Amino acid sequence: MKADVLLGLQWGDEGKGKIVDVLTPKYDVITRFQGGPNAGHSLEFNQIKHVLHTIPSGVFHDGQVNIIGNGVVIDPVIFKKETESIAKLGVNLIPKLFISRKAHLILPSHRILDAASEAAKGITKIGSTLKGIGPTYMDKTGRNGLRVGDILSADFLDKYNHLKKKHIDLLRLYDFVYNIEEQEAQWFAGIEELRRYTIVDSEFEINHFLSAGKKVLAEGAQGTMLDIDFGSYPFVTSSNTISAGACTGLGIAPTRIGEVFGVFKAYCTRVGSGPFPTELLDETGERLRQKGHEFGATTGRPRRCGWLDLVALKYSIMINGVTQLFMTKADVLSEFEYIKVCTGYNVNGHITERLPYDLNEVDSAEYFEFKGWDKDLTQVDNKEDIPDNLNKYIQFIEKETGLPITIVSLGPDRKQILYR
Ligand code: GDP
Ligand code: IMO
Ligand code: MG
């Protein structure tokens, strides 16, 4: 078998968690391959609303194994809170959650470094979620990191103190007040929680599952425009959010990747700083934010809203090798008199469909305008009931991208889904 990858094509929050939850019954293994608690993946079912940060979005079904892969960074404090809130819903995670020995740990001092670095940047700050993501991946590539496997070694405390001291030395560079000790008791309690789970060499596990004919779904976090190499650098996260990240974040070869499912919102959002060519700073943007409840699942920050950007979408499709598109939140666009789609960028007086080196070079966006539809879509469960104008919108995107939109999501609940 090959592993299918599901990932975001925009700036995150495309609705990945919801779709993974919907697709889980078709799979045997659900696995996260990068990012950490900067992610907030919302699931809704049976009147329950739940946000996952580190744990794969397959845990609310029975019969699947969920794996936190080597490419993920784990904050034990947040992990413990997550497991406790899942336990309250009556789910026993112990038999269904495995954690890679090679996943890196976010220390309290990583979080402090993230905050100190952002504070020092002032108005040029990235708008990080302040979860310590950047500093943890820096220690990983700098070969200083602490990994899940280390918690089983006799000298774990020495390793922890060694890295903490390095961070204290670094923090001298900043004019920043902090207190590491007040966060440490919770952190070590989180380490104890981690020890309760099955810690695995996940690359062996996943390859073995594939060889045994099991179906594996790799769940991405963030989105392609936040990728460390191909996103709107430097306003990005610190991992490879793209399909290639599933190979390095799980230890599977490119030849073992099957479908690449690209999830995109019917419009665009971004949270945090950085260029956003189709951003709407007017009432229409505010209307999208209110109708779409566009407030961050991790930080609660209002998300910036704008029209769908086909230039960026096509770029993401190219980088990921997307084979099928899934569109979410089309229901939010109901009742808009018109809907726009960006088909080109104006850069230095020329219209281009090529993403520039620096997205700040985009002076304005070129749009194609569609007539809206009045119908409430949240109860639609048959493709014959899709309004004509929405069909035109869908078909336009399919023609432009050359890919089929095989799933349309029409509400936050597990049941609000349409297969085409
Ligand atoms: P993720 O990070 O990609 O998993 O997405 P988030 O959970 O951060 O943000 C998506 C938000 O939209 C959540 O509040 C979801 O409950 C909600 N959502 C997902 N799909 C749909 C949809 O089709 N329609 C509507 N109205 N909301 C949706
Ligand atoms: P999910 O998986 C949306 C954004 C932050 C910031 C930038 C860097 O829920 O789609 P970081 O904390 O990673 O150093 O922040 O990336 N960001 C996200 N935006 N959804 C996410 O995850 C995000 N994870 C990080 O807002 O702009
Ligand atoms: Mg999210």
Side-chain angles (χ1 to χ4, degrees), residues 92-108:
N92 181 10
L93 273 181
I94 302 274
K96 58 166 101 166
L97 181 65
F98 294 177
I99 304 170
S100 168
R101 209 182 290 283
K102 295 192 172 78
H104 279 244
L105 293 172
I106 302 175
L107 273 56

Side-chain angles (χ1 to χ4, degrees), residues 3 5 8 20 29 31 38 112 128 134 148 155 235 238 277 315 321 334 349 369:
V5 182
V20 170
V29 181
T31 177
N38 48 349
I112 292 167
S128 147
V148 168
D155 59 351
F235 301 100
S238 298
Y315 181 78
S334 292
E369 196 172 302

Side-chain angles (χ1 to χ4, degrees), residues 287 291 330-339 370-380 385-391:
R287 199 167 155 205
K291 276 202 78 186
D331 55 299
V332 174
L333 294 180
S334 292
E335 293 162 24
F336 279 75
E337 305 72 56
Y338 64 89
I339 291 154
F370 288 82
K371 281 212 179 77
W373 53 89
D374 259 342
K375 184 171 175 158
D376 171 19
L377 300 175
T378 54
Q379 308 302 323
V380 170
D385 297 333
I386 297 182
D388 284 349
N389 287 349
L390 173 55
N391 267 326

Side-chain angles (χ1 to χ4, degrees), residues 42 113 127 174 278 299 316 396 400:
S42 319
L113 277 167
Y174 299 97
T278 63
T299 56
S316 297
F396 181 82
E400 286 287 313

